[in-house]
Amino acid sequence: MGDAHRIGVVGLGVISRAYLDTLVGRSAVRVTAVADLDAARSAAVAAELPGVRALAVEELLSSPDVDTVLNLTTPGAHAAIALGAIGHGKNVYGEKPLAATLADAHAVMAAAARAGVGVGCAPDTVLGTGVQTARAAVAAGRIGRPLFASAVMVTPGHERWHPHPDFYYAEGGGPLLDMGPYYLASLIHLLGPVRAVTGASSRLRAERVIGSGPRTGERIPVEVDSHVSGVLEHVGGTLTTITTSFDGVATTASPIEVHGEAGTLAVPDPNRFDGDVRLFGLGDTRWRTLPPSAGYVDGTRGVGLLDFIAADGQRAPRANGELALHVLETMTALLRSSAEGRRIELTTSARPPAAVPLTAAEEWGGQAAPSPA
Ligand SMILES: NC(=O)C1=CN([C@@H]2O[C@H](COP(=O)(O)OP(=O)(O)OC[C@H]3O[C@@H](n4cnc5c(N)ncnc54)[C@H](OP(=O)(O)O)[C@@H]3O)[C@@H](O)[C@H]2O)C=CC1
Ligand SMILES: O=C1CO[C@H](CO)[C@@H](O)[C@@H]1O
């Protein structure tokens, strides 16, 4: 590889730390600039990182020293930052969701296509061994034709994670918009795109008490749905049930379970990069653990960005904008279905997102796929 790929980071909150830990010190990439609404925050981050400049947001978006903008702002700002970066001919890789609304997400993708730049979007846990091993097993026919699947993701006290009001999604759909992308991106990788959905949501709590941080103890009204459930119909006919909720007592992420004609696969924690996969096949008397693929287990956030840079416009990155757009279409349809009380067919997905598998060499370290242990 030639010169290091230059990255400008916009949005220096909680998750930026994990990204900077992944990026700093790698030869293939170089963080050249950081920016935040809070100039003191960007100055403090830049002061810790030799060679990194603190810039105003607009300066960073137009800086000749930036090839790709890493967009770690709050969801309501995602589209504006992405459009700003694209307007200056930069690639953009951002945190989920791709945008706060489907219309904004389409605008981002259309602008990128016109400008000839790339769009990547988290979650990048789809690159972890859990999802990749399961995807390879499904593709290899280990469970036969997939029939149905399930996934649940719960977090209590959402305000503990995100005191920022932008995360309350006043229009509704909070837990789905916040956590849905993890499961949906994984499920689409495993089972293909979604053609129709049926959704339901409820708002059972009137207020919450902030559990940590500077606003601890403050009572705030709930402005989001407490939980959102739904049934997804994948193009191949597989049905998936999902639930996302802010109303659990414990933070839990259920396994993704995929039941096929010839077996059941469980991905115990698809939101971990190093999760393993269990298989119960026809004739088996116990669960077996599949050897993990040797995929992109870097163990932390940012591997999707590294893959995006490695793809270099020559192939679709695994955490790509089309996949994120389809995830947002699916979430938007679930919320509309819930509001309108009817099944919704997705009409805007002109083509399936590119769920690009790792190559055999990446998955299995260049060897033939191993049998279950
Ligand atoms: N926290 C988590 O556990 C995870 C978060 N994510 C995702 O990462 C993204 C960021 O989340 P998180 O780090 O928690 O959020 P934070 O609220 O901690 O940080 C967001 C930062 O972006 C800044 N910001 C907001 N709008 C702009 C703008 N227009 N220009 C420049 N900076 C801006 C905020 O400034 P200010 O505070 O002044 O508004 C803040 O410093 C979200 O998309 C979220 O979904 C993903 C995985 C985990
Ligand atoms: O992405 C994230 C990680 O999970 C949290 C919930 O457990 C989310 O709130 C957060 O946005």
Side-chain angles (χ1 to χ4, degrees), residues 70-135:
L70 174 57
N71 185 2
L72 304 180
T73 57
T74 46
H78 284 184
I81 296 295
L83 289 169
I86 291 165
H88 289 289
K90 317 281 186 212
N91 305 301
V92 60
Y93 181 97
E95 257 300 336
K96 48 77 190 173
L98 180 57
T101 68
L102 189 52
D104 281 353
H106 277 295
V108 167
M109 295 304 288
R114 281 195 302 272
V117 298
V119 177
C121 186
D124 49 6
T125 42
V126 292
L127 282 129
T129 48
V131 174
Q132 289 295 335
T133 304
R135 189 206 56 75

Short mmCIF file of all heavy atoms in Angstrom, two decimals, residues 70-135:
data_model
loop_
_atom_site.label_atom_id
_atom_site.label_comp_id
_atom_site.label_asym_id
_atom_site.label_seq_id
_atom_site.Cartn_x
_atom_site.Cartn_y
_atom_site.Cartn_z
N LEU A 70 -14.79 10.37 8.99
CA LEU A 70 -15.40 9.40 9.92
C LEU A 70 -16.44 10.16 10.73
O LEU A 70 -16.11 11.04 11.53
CB LEU A 70 -14.32 8.80 10.82
CG LEU A 70 -14.81 7.88 11.94
CD1 LEU A 70 -15.63 6.71 11.40
CD2 LEU A 70 -13.61 7.35 12.75
N ASN A 71 -17.72 9.81 10.51
CA ASN A 71 -18.83 10.60 11.03
C ASN A 71 -19.38 9.95 12.30
O ASN A 71 -20.14 8.97 12.24
CB ASN A 71 -19.90 10.66 9.93
CG ASN A 71 -21.08 11.55 10.29
OD1 ASN A 71 -21.10 12.17 11.35
ND2 ASN A 71 -22.05 11.61 9.40
N LEU A 72 -18.97 10.48 13.45
CA LEU A 72 -19.38 9.90 14.74
C LEU A 72 -20.25 10.88 15.51
O LEU A 72 -20.23 10.93 16.75
CB LEU A 72 -18.13 9.54 15.57
CG LEU A 72 -17.15 8.60 14.89
CD1 LEU A 72 -15.96 8.31 15.81
CD2 LEU A 72 -17.83 7.29 14.48
N THR A 73 -21.00 11.67 14.78
CA THR A 73 -21.90 12.63 15.43
C THR A 73 -23.17 11.90 15.88
O THR A 73 -23.37 10.72 15.61
CB THR A 73 -22.28 13.75 14.43
OG1 THR A 73 -22.87 13.15 13.27
CG2 THR A 73 -21.06 14.54 14.02
N THR A 74 -24.04 12.64 16.55
CA THR A 74 -25.31 12.06 16.97
C THR A 74 -26.21 11.86 15.74
O THR A 74 -26.02 12.53 14.71
CB THR A 74 -25.99 12.97 18.00
OG1 THR A 74 -25.93 14.32 17.53
CG2 THR A 74 -25.29 12.88 19.34
N PRO A 75 -27.19 10.94 15.82
CA PRO A 75 -27.91 10.55 14.60
C PRO A 75 -28.53 11.70 13.81
O PRO A 75 -28.50 11.69 12.58
CB PRO A 75 -28.99 9.60 15.14
CG PRO A 75 -28.35 9.00 16.36
CD PRO A 75 -27.55 10.11 16.98
N GLY A 76 -29.05 12.72 14.51
CA GLY A 76 -29.70 13.81 13.80
C GLY A 76 -28.74 14.61 12.93
O GLY A 76 -29.17 15.32 12.02
N ALA A 77 -27.44 14.49 13.20
CA ALA A 77 -26.45 15.25 12.42
C ALA A 77 -25.81 14.40 11.32
O ALA A 77 -25.04 14.92 10.51
CB ALA A 77 -25.37 15.80 13.35
N HIS A 78 -26.11 13.10 11.29
CA HIS A 78 -25.39 12.21 10.36
C HIS A 78 -25.48 12.68 8.91
O HIS A 78 -24.48 12.75 8.20
CB HIS A 78 -25.93 10.78 10.47
CG HIS A 78 -25.45 10.06 11.69
ND1 HIS A 78 -25.75 8.74 11.96
CD2 HIS A 78 -24.70 10.48 12.74
CE1 HIS A 78 -25.20 8.38 13.10
NE2 HIS A 78 -24.56 9.43 13.59
N ALA A 79 -26.72 13.00 8.47
CA ALA A 79 -26.89 13.31 7.04
C ALA A 79 -26.18 14.61 6.67
O ALA A 79 -25.51 14.67 5.63
CB ALA A 79 -28.37 13.39 6.70
N ALA A 80 -26.32 15.62 7.51
CA ALA A 80 -25.70 16.92 7.17
C ALA A 80 -24.18 16.79 7.07
O ALA A 80 -23.56 17.34 6.14
CB ALA A 80 -26.09 17.97 8.20
N ILE A 81 -23.60 16.06 7.99
CA ILE A 81 -22.14 15.88 7.95
C ILE A 81 -21.75 15.07 6.71
O ILE A 81 -20.80 15.39 6.00
CB ILE A 81 -21.63 15.20 9.24
CG1 ILE A 81 -21.89 16.10 10.46
CG2 ILE A 81 -20.15 14.83 9.13
CD1 ILE A 81 -21.14 17.41 10.46
N ALA A 82 -22.50 14.00 6.46
CA ALA A 82 -22.19 13.16 5.30
C ALA A 82 -22.29 13.97 4.01
O ALA A 82 -21.40 13.92 3.15
CB ALA A 82 -23.12 11.95 5.25
N LEU A 83 -23.38 14.74 3.88
CA LEU A 83 -23.55 15.54 2.66
C LEU A 83 -22.45 16.59 2.53
O LEU A 83 -21.96 16.86 1.43
CB LEU A 83 -24.94 16.19 2.64
CG LEU A 83 -26.10 15.22 2.41
CD1 LEU A 83 -27.44 15.90 2.69
CD2 LEU A 83 -26.06 14.65 0.99
N GLY A 84 -22.06 17.17 3.66
CA GLY A 84 -20.96 18.14 3.64
C GLY A 84 -19.67 17.50 3.15
O GLY A 84 -18.96 18.04 2.29
N ALA A 85 -19.37 16.31 3.67
CA ALA A 85 -18.14 15.61 3.27
C ALA A 85 -18.20 15.26 1.78
O ALA A 85 -17.24 15.50 1.03
CB ALA A 85 -17.99 14.33 4.11
N ILE A 86 -19.32 14.72 1.36
CA ILE A 86 -19.47 14.31 -0.05
C ILE A 86 -19.36 15.52 -0.96
O ILE A 86 -18.73 15.47 -2.02
CB ILE A 86 -20.83 13.58 -0.23
CG1 ILE A 86 -20.81 12.23 0.50
CG2 ILE A 86 -21.16 13.39 -1.71
CD1 ILE A 86 -22.18 11.60 0.69
N GLY A 87 -19.94 16.64 -0.51
CA GLY A 87 -19.88 17.88 -1.29
C GLY A 87 -18.45 18.34 -1.54
O GLY A 87 -18.16 19.04 -2.52
N HIS A 88 -17.54 17.93 -0.66
CA HIS A 88 -16.13 18.28 -0.85
C HIS A 88 -15.34 17.12 -1.45
O HIS A 88 -14.11 17.09 -1.37
CB HIS A 88 -15.51 18.71 0.48
CG HIS A 88 -16.03 20.06 0.95
ND1 HIS A 88 -15.69 21.24 0.33
CD2 HIS A 88 -16.88 20.39 1.96
CE1 HIS A 88 -16.30 22.25 0.95
NE2 HIS A 88 -17.03 21.76 1.94
N GLY A 89 -16.07 16.14 -2.00
CA GLY A 89 -15.39 15.03 -2.69
C GLY A 89 -14.77 14.01 -1.76
O GLY A 89 -13.87 13.26 -2.18
N LYS A 90 -15.21 13.98 -0.51
CA LYS A 90 -14.64 13.00 0.44
C LYS A 90 -15.52 11.76 0.52
O LYS A 90 -16.75 11.85 0.40
CB LYS A 90 -14.58 13.57 1.87
CG LYS A 90 -14.10 14.99 1.98
CD LYS A 90 -12.61 15.08 1.88
CE LYS A 90 -12.13 16.49 2.13
NZ LYS A 90 -10.92 16.79 1.36
N ASN A 91 -14.89 10.63 0.79
CA ASN A 91 -15.63 9.45 1.20
C ASN A 91 -16.15 9.70 2.61
O ASN A 91 -15.57 10.49 3.37
CB ASN A 91 -14.72 8.22 1.28
CG ASN A 91 -14.00 7.97 -0.02
OD1 ASN A 91 -14.62 7.78 -1.05
ND2 ASN A 91 -12.67 7.98 0.04
N VAL A 92 -17.20 8.98 2.97
CA VAL A 92 -17.68 9.11 4.34
C VAL A 92 -18.05 7.74 4.89
O VAL A 92 -18.67 6.92 4.21
CB VAL A 92 -18.87 10.11 4.44
CG1 VAL A 92 -20.05 9.67 3.59
CG2 VAL A 92 -19.30 10.33 5.86
N TYR A 93 -17.56 7.50 6.10
CA TYR A 93 -17.93 6.28 6.83
C TYR A 93 -18.50 6.76 8.16
O TYR A 93 -17.87 7.57 8.86
CB TYR A 93 -16.69 5.40 7.07
CG TYR A 93 -17.01 4.11 7.80
CD1 TYR A 93 -17.20 2.92 7.10
CD2 TYR A 93 -17.14 4.09 9.19
CE1 TYR A 93 -17.52 1.75 7.76
CE2 TYR A 93 -17.46 2.92 9.86
CZ TYR A 93 -17.64 1.75 9.14
OH TYR A 93 -17.96 0.59 9.81
N GLY A 94 -19.71 6.28 8.49
CA GLY A 94 -20.34 6.82 9.69
C GLY A 94 -20.88 5.75 10.61
O GLY A 94 -21.00 4.58 10.25
N GLU A 95 -21.23 6.21 11.79
CA GLU A 95 -21.91 5.32 12.73
C GLU A 95 -23.37 5.19 12.31
O GLU A 95 -23.92 5.99 11.56
CB GLU A 95 -21.77 5.85 14.16
CG GLU A 95 -20.75 5.10 14.99
CD GLU A 95 -21.05 3.60 15.14
OE1 GLU A 95 -22.21 3.20 15.02
OE2 GLU A 95 -20.10 2.83 15.37
N LYS A 96 -24.01 4.17 12.83
CA LYS A 96 -25.43 3.94 12.52
C LYS A 96 -26.30 4.92 13.30
O LYS A 96 -25.86 5.39 14.35
CB LYS A 96 -25.82 2.48 12.84
CG LYS A 96 -25.38 1.97 14.24
CD LYS A 96 -26.22 2.44 15.38
CE LYS A 96 -25.67 2.15 16.72
NZ LYS A 96 -26.42 2.75 17.80
N PRO A 97 -27.52 5.25 12.82
CA PRO A 97 -28.05 4.86 11.52
C PRO A 97 -27.47 5.74 10.42
O PRO A 97 -26.91 6.80 10.70
CB PRO A 97 -29.55 5.10 11.70
CG PRO A 97 -29.66 6.19 12.73
CD PRO A 97 -28.49 6.02 13.64
N LEU A 98 -27.64 5.28 9.17
CA LEU A 98 -27.08 6.03 8.04
C LEU A 98 -27.55 7.49 8.08
O LEU A 98 -26.78 8.40 7.78
CB LEU A 98 -27.53 5.36 6.73
CG LEU A 98 -27.07 5.96 5.42
CD1 LEU A 98 -25.55 6.04 5.34
CD2 LEU A 98 -27.62 5.16 4.24
N ALA A 99 -28.80 7.70 8.43
CA ALA A 99 -29.35 9.05 8.62
C ALA A 99 -30.55 8.91 9.55
O ALA A 99 -31.01 7.80 9.81
CB ALA A 99 -29.77 9.64 7.28
N ALA A 100 -31.06 10.03 10.01
CA ALA A 100 -32.20 9.95 10.93
C ALA A 100 -33.49 9.65 10.19
O ALA A 100 -34.44 9.14 10.78
CB ALA A 100 -32.32 11.24 11.73
N THR A 101 -33.56 9.97 8.91
CA THR A 101 -34.76 9.66 8.13
C THR A 101 -34.34 8.97 6.83
O THR A 101 -33.22 9.16 6.33
CB THR A 101 -35.56 10.92 7.75
OG1 THR A 101 -34.77 11.68 6.81
CG2 THR A 101 -35.87 11.79 8.97
N LEU A 102 -35.30 8.22 6.29
CA LEU A 102 -35.03 7.50 5.05
C LEU A 102 -34.77 8.48 3.90
O LEU A 102 -33.89 8.26 3.07
CB LEU A 102 -36.24 6.61 4.73
CG LEU A 102 -36.07 5.61 3.59
CD1 LEU A 102 -34.83 4.76 3.77
CD2 LEU A 102 -37.32 4.73 3.50
N ALA A 103 -35.52 9.59 3.89
CA ALA A 103 -35.33 10.58 2.82
C ALA A 103 -33.90 11.12 2.86
O ALA A 103 -33.23 11.25 1.82
CB ALA A 103 -36.34 11.71 2.97
N ASP A 104 -33.41 11.41 4.06
CA ASP A 104 -32.03 11.91 4.18
C ASP A 104 -31.02 10.84 3.74
O ASP A 104 -30.00 11.16 3.12
CB ASP A 104 -31.73 12.31 5.64
CG ASP A 104 -32.32 13.67 5.99
OD1 ASP A 104 -32.83 14.35 5.08
OD2 ASP A 104 -32.25 14.04 7.18
N ALA A 105 -31.31 9.60 4.08
CA ALA A 105 -30.38 8.52 3.71
C ALA A 105 -30.32 8.37 2.19
O ALA A 105 -29.24 8.20 1.61
CB ALA A 105 -30.82 7.20 4.36
N HIS A 106 -31.47 8.46 1.54
CA HIS A 106 -31.46 8.41 0.07
C HIS A 106 -30.67 9.59 -0.50
O HIS A 106 -29.94 9.44 -1.47
CB HIS A 106 -32.89 8.43 -0.47
CG HIS A 106 -33.55 7.09 -0.47
ND1 HIS A 106 -33.11 6.05 -1.26
CD2 HIS A 106 -34.60 6.59 0.22
CE1 HIS A 106 -33.86 4.98 -1.08
NE2 HIS A 106 -34.78 5.28 -0.17
N ALA A 107 -30.83 10.75 0.12
CA ALA A 107 -30.11 11.94 -0.38
C ALA A 107 -28.60 11.72 -0.26
O ALA A 107 -27.84 12.09 -1.17
CB ALA A 107 -30.55 13.18 0.41
N VAL A 108 -28.17 11.11 0.83
CA VAL A 108 -26.73 10.84 1.03
C VAL A 108 -26.23 9.88 -0.06
O VAL A 108 -25.20 10.12 -0.71
CB VAL A 108 -26.48 10.25 2.44
CG1 VAL A 108 -25.06 9.68 2.54
CG2 VAL A 108 -26.73 11.31 3.52
N MET A 109 -26.98 8.81 -0.28
CA MET A 109 -26.52 7.82 -1.26
C MET A 109 -26.51 8.40 -2.68
O MET A 109 -25.60 8.14 -3.47
CB MET A 109 -27.41 6.57 -1.21
CG MET A 109 -27.32 5.82 0.12
SD MET A 109 -25.65 5.33 0.56
CE MET A 109 -25.36 4.01 -0.60
N ALA A 110 -27.53 9.22 -2.97
CA ALA A 110 -27.60 9.81 -4.31
C ALA A 110 -26.45 10.80 -4.51
O ALA A 110 -25.80 10.82 -5.57
CB ALA A 110 -28.94 10.50 -4.51
N ALA A 111 -26.18 11.60 -3.49
CA ALA A 111 -25.08 12.58 -3.60
C ALA A 111 -23.74 11.86 -3.77
O ALA A 111 -22.89 12.28 -4.57
CB ALA A 111 -25.06 13.48 -2.35
N ALA A 112 -23.56 10.75 -3.05
CA ALA A 112 -22.30 10.01 -3.16
C ALA A 112 -22.14 9.42 -4.56
O ALA A 112 -21.05 9.43 -5.14
CB ALA A 112 -22.25 8.90 -2.10
N ALA A 113 -23.26 8.91 -5.09
CA ALA A 113 -23.19 8.32 -6.44
C ALA A 113 -22.82 9.40 -7.45
O ALA A 113 -21.98 9.19 -8.33
CB ALA A 113 -24.53 7.68 -6.80
N ARG A 114 -23.42 10.59 -7.30
CA ARG A 114 -23.11 11.69 -8.23
C ARG A 114 -21.66 12.12 -8.11
O ARG A 114 -20.99 12.41 -9.09
CB ARG A 114 -24.02 12.90 -7.95
CG ARG A 114 -25.44 12.77 -8.51
CD ARG A 114 -26.13 14.13 -8.52
NE ARG A 114 -26.21 14.73 -7.20
CZ ARG A 114 -27.18 14.52 -6.33
NH1 ARG A 114 -28.17 13.70 -6.64
NH2 ARG A 114 -27.18 15.09 -5.14
N ALA A 115 -21.16 12.14 -6.87
CA ALA A 115 -19.78 12.63 -6.65
C ALA A 115 -18.74 11.54 -6.89
O ALA A 115 -17.54 11.82 -6.90
CB ALA A 115 -19.66 13.16 -5.21
N GLY A 116 -19.19 10.30 -7.01
CA GLY A 116 -18.24 9.20 -7.22
C GLY A 116 -17.41 8.89 -5.99
O GLY A 116 -16.25 8.49 -6.10
N VAL A 117 -17.99 9.09 -4.81
CA VAL A 117 -17.27 8.75 -3.57
C VAL A 117 -17.99 7.61 -2.86
O VAL A 117 -19.14 7.29 -3.18
CB VAL A 117 -17.15 9.98 -2.63
CG1 VAL A 117 -16.36 11.08 -3.30
CG2 VAL A 117 -18.52 10.47 -2.18
N GLY A 118 -17.32 7.02 -1.89
CA GLY A 118 -17.87 5.84 -1.21
C GLY A 118 -18.58 6.21 0.08
O GLY A 118 -18.25 7.20 0.73
N VAL A 119 -19.58 5.38 0.43
CA VAL A 119 -20.28 5.53 1.71
C VAL A 119 -20.22 4.19 2.44
O VAL A 119 -20.62 3.16 1.90
CB VAL A 119 -21.77 5.91 1.52
CG1 VAL A 119 -22.48 5.99 2.88
CG2 VAL A 119 -21.89 7.24 0.79
N GLY A 120 -19.72 4.23 3.67
CA GLY A 120 -19.74 3.05 4.52
C GLY A 120 -20.46 3.39 5.81
O GLY A 120 -20.57 4.57 6.17
N CYS A 121 -21.00 2.39 6.46
CA CYS A 121 -21.78 2.67 7.68
C CYS A 121 -21.72 1.48 8.63
O CYS A 121 -21.88 0.33 8.20
CB CYS A 121 -23.23 2.97 7.28
SG CYS A 121 -24.26 3.49 8.66
N ALA A 122 -21.51 1.79 9.91
CA ALA A 122 -21.58 0.77 10.95
C ALA A 122 -23.03 0.26 11.02
O ALA A 122 -23.94 0.93 10.52
CB ALA A 122 -21.14 1.37 12.27
N PRO A 123 -23.33 -0.87 11.64
CA PRO A 123 -22.41 -1.62 12.50
C PRO A 123 -21.41 -2.47 11.71
O PRO A 123 -21.77 -3.00 10.65
CB PRO A 123 -23.36 -2.55 13.28
CG PRO A 123 -24.50 -2.76 12.36
CD PRO A 123 -24.68 -1.45 11.62
N ASP A 124 -20.21 -2.57 12.28
CA ASP A 124 -19.22 -3.41 11.63
C ASP A 124 -19.10 -4.76 12.32
O ASP A 124 -18.24 -5.57 11.95
CB ASP A 124 -17.87 -2.71 11.49
CG ASP A 124 -17.38 -2.09 12.78
OD1 ASP A 124 -18.02 -2.28 13.83
OD2 ASP A 124 -16.35 -1.40 12.72
N THR A 125 -19.99 -5.02 13.27
CA THR A 125 -19.98 -6.34 13.91
C THR A 125 -20.32 -7.43 12.89
O THR A 125 -20.05 -8.60 13.15
CB THR A 125 -20.98 -6.38 15.08
OG1 THR A 125 -22.18 -5.71 14.70
CG2 THR A 125 -20.40 -5.69 16.30
N VAL A 126 -20.87 -7.03 11.73
CA VAL A 126 -21.12 -8.04 10.70
C VAL A 126 -19.80 -8.65 10.20
O VAL A 126 -19.80 -9.71 9.59
CB VAL A 126 -21.89 -7.48 9.49
CG1 VAL A 126 -23.30 -7.13 9.86
CG2 VAL A 126 -21.18 -6.27 8.88
N LEU A 127 -18.69 -7.99 10.48
CA LEU A 127 -17.40 -8.54 10.07
C LEU A 127 -16.82 -9.49 11.10
O LEU A 127 -15.80 -10.12 10.86
CB LEU A 127 -16.40 -7.40 9.85
CG LEU A 127 -16.59 -6.68 8.53
CD1 LEU A 127 -16.68 -5.18 8.73
CD2 LEU A 127 -15.48 -7.03 7.58
N GLY A 128 -17.44 -9.56 12.25
CA GLY A 128 -16.91 -10.41 13.32
C GLY A 128 -17.08 -11.89 12.99
O GLY A 128 -17.80 -12.27 12.07
N THR A 129 -16.43 -12.72 13.79
CA THR A 129 -16.46 -14.15 13.49
C THR A 129 -17.86 -14.75 13.69
O THR A 129 -18.20 -15.70 13.00
CB THR A 129 -15.48 -14.94 14.37
OG1 THR A 129 -15.68 -14.52 15.71
CG2 THR A 129 -14.07 -14.72 13.94
N GLY A 130 -18.64 -14.21 14.63
CA GLY A 130 -19.97 -14.77 14.86
C GLY A 130 -20.80 -14.75 13.59
O GLY A 130 -21.24 -15.79 13.09
N VAL A 131 -21.00 -13.55 13.06
CA VAL A 131 -21.86 -13.41 11.88
C VAL A 131 -21.22 -14.07 10.66
O VAL A 131 -21.88 -14.76 9.88
CB VAL A 131 -22.18 -11.92 11.61
CG1 VAL A 131 -22.96 -11.75 10.32
CG2 VAL A 131 -22.96 -11.35 12.78
N GLN A 132 -19.91 -13.88 10.50
CA GLN A 132 -19.26 -14.44 9.31
C GLN A 132 -19.24 -15.97 9.33
O GLN A 132 -19.42 -16.62 8.30
CB GLN A 132 -17.85 -13.87 9.16
CG GLN A 132 -17.83 -12.40 8.74
CD GLN A 132 -18.40 -12.17 7.34
OE1 GLN A 132 -18.40 -13.05 6.48
NE2 GLN A 132 -18.92 -10.98 7.10
N THR A 133 -19.02 -16.55 10.51
CA THR A 133 -19.02 -18.01 10.60
C THR A 133 -20.43 -18.55 10.31
O THR A 133 -20.60 -19.54 9.58
CB THR A 133 -18.55 -18.47 12.00
OG1 THR A 133 -17.26 -17.90 12.25
CG2 THR A 133 -18.47 -19.98 12.09
N ALA A 134 -21.43 -17.87 10.86
CA ALA A 134 -22.81 -18.30 10.62
C ALA A 134 -23.18 -18.14 9.15
O ALA A 134 -23.81 -19.01 8.55
CB ALA A 134 -23.77 -17.50 11.50
N ARG A 135 -22.76 -17.02 8.56
CA ARG A 135 -23.07 -16.80 7.15
C ARG A 135 -22.47 -17.90 6.28
O ARG A 135 -23.12 -18.45 5.39
CB ARG A 135 -22.54 -15.44 6.70
CG ARG A 135 -23.01 -15.01 5.32
CD ARG A 135 -22.04 -14.04 4.68
NE ARG A 135 -20.70 -14.60 4.63
CZ ARG A 135 -20.32 -15.53 3.77
NH1 ARG A 135 -21.17 -16.03 2.90
NH2 ARG A 135 -19.10 -16.01 3.80
#
